[in-house]
Amino acid sequence: MKTILPAHTSSLSRLNRMLSGKAFDNARFFILMDENTYNHCLPHLISKVDRLQQAEFMEVPVGEECKDIAIATQLWQTLLESNADRNCVLVNLGGGCITDLGGFVAAGYKRGIRHINIPTTLVGMVDAAIGGKTALNLDNSKNQIGFFHQPAIVCIEPAFLDTLPDAMLLDGVFEMLKTFMVGDPGRYESLCGMLLDGTFEVLPDMIAACAEIKTAVVRRDPYDRSVRRILNLGHTFGHAIESFSHQPGRQPVAHGAAVGIGMVCALQLSVTKLGLPQHVLDRYRAVAAKLTAIPRYTLRDTEELLTYMRRDKKNASGHILCVLLQDIGAPVIDLQVDENEIRNTLLKLC
């Protein structure tokens, strides 16, 4: 996997040079996108990358709705009817949902074709587009089916962030906080300070630092069997919170915000189970509360949330497993958490 990080020269210009090289001779390109990226991002991509001007387009619904096996089947059918062979390349232009879906489709078509991820959201740039995890949802549960299929290229172009509303930028900040919390204590403290005093702005070097941390972790553990699991901090709670919020009649919580709330839960448990200093939890809770509304759950809600947590793919032998912290930069993976501990944590969240 080649990662094109933000630098003095445009990332898309460097992508254009790579696609004009011998490795992509005679390749046909298909661009996967949703309505938002079709309108706001595709023109910029095509203007900068000559090799994609003759690409064929495939459009899917916006958001988690696209991560469905029926839509994946439709995309496979489109590729088949277009006579796409194993030398074709699927370019995924969008946020985490698009790169999850596109990677899944690429992994399954003709036993695997190359794909390129061009993330257009901050969540995608610092996390979702990197690492080769692909996934679809099943029965309203996050990422239950998928493959490990590394992209040939990940191209991170910060200019795409100019198309996003502030709420979506803040959604990605939670993934940055998570990455620095487990991998770079100095940057974590700096980011918290900026968020608390209102001076934060998304800087290319911070995006690059997150991408480098994740890439290094993935290189050590590409199949998520050991150290890579540190990147799941907040996700056991977060995926349940996200799925629960997408039930009919509820207010949906975006992935980044759900993970951010899940990290409050994980740090609460870390205080009681691992002796994490209370001030670490207090500081993070203050940051999270500035970025999103912390929900209040009833006992009945906790039972529904537990249903989703029992399905989490990181569980083993019927036990719910979490990533917790001994301190900033000192994560502990695969800790078994009792269901009563989970109930108490969720009830005390707000």
Side-chain angles (χ1 to χ4, degrees), residues 243-299:
S243 297
F244 177 76
S245 77
H246 280 78
Q247 292 179 348
R250 298 193 179 277
Q251 182 64 40
V253 177
H255 173 76
V259 168
I261 296 165
M263 283 164 41
V264 177
C265 298
L267 295 191
Q268 286 181 184
L269 280 172
S270 298
V271 170
T272 58
K273 293 179 74 69
L274 296 180
L276 177 74
Q278 180 70 37
H279 70 83
V280 175
L281 168 61
D282 293 342
R283 182 170 171 81
Y284 175 73
R285 188 196 293 273
V287 171
K290 287 201 72 168
L291 300 180
T292 191
I294 306 298
R296 184 183 301 276
Y297 292 122
T298 66
L299 186 58

Side-chain angles (χ1 to χ4, degrees), residues 136-197:
L136 302 182
N137 301 334
L138 185 66
D139 191 23
N140 198 39
S141 293
K142 285 276 292 186
N143 301 341
Q144 294 297 301
I145 47 178
F147 308 101
F148 288 97
H149 189 55
Q150 292 288 348
I153 301 171
V154 177
C155 179
I156 299 175
E157 175 53 79
F160 286 126
L161 297 179
D162 295 338
T163 69
L164 296 180
D166 288 345
M168 289 192 70
L169 285 174
L170 290 176
D171 198 43
V173 172
F174 281 115
E175 288 287 0
M176 297 178 75
L177 284 163
K178 176 212 72 178
T179 301
F180 292 147
M181 191 181 288
V182 299
D184 191 331
R187 285 188 182 270
Y188 171 74
E189 293 298 338
S190 177
L191 179 54
C192 284
M194 288 188 289
L195 291 167
L196 288 170
D197 65 23

Side-chain angles (χ1 to χ4, degrees), residues 209-247:
C210 279
E212 287 171 340
I213 290 170
K214 180 160 188 184
T215 300
V217 171
V218 170
R219 190 176 292 119
R220 291 171 60 194
D221 180 21
Y223 297 108
D224 204 16
R225 291 173 178 151
S226 57
V227 67
R228 183 170 176 171
R229 296 179 187 177
I230 66 175
L231 299 173
N232 291 324
L233 178 68
H235 282 62
T236 302
F237 283 95
H239 281 168
I241 290 167
E242 183 180 0
S243 297
F244 177 76
S245 77
H246 280 78
Q247 292 179 348

Side-chain angles (χ1 to χ4, degrees), residues 15-29 51 85-89 114 116 153:
L15 175 65
N16 189 48
R17 289 197 296 272
M18 292 183 69
L19 297 189
S20 300
K22 186 175 180 180
F24 293 94
D25 277 353
N26 303 315
R28 288 174 63 196
F29 293 93
R51 195 74 169 81
D85 59 24
R86 293 192 69 185
N87 196 41
C88 74
V89 180
R114 288 178 294 177
I116 295 171
I153 301 171

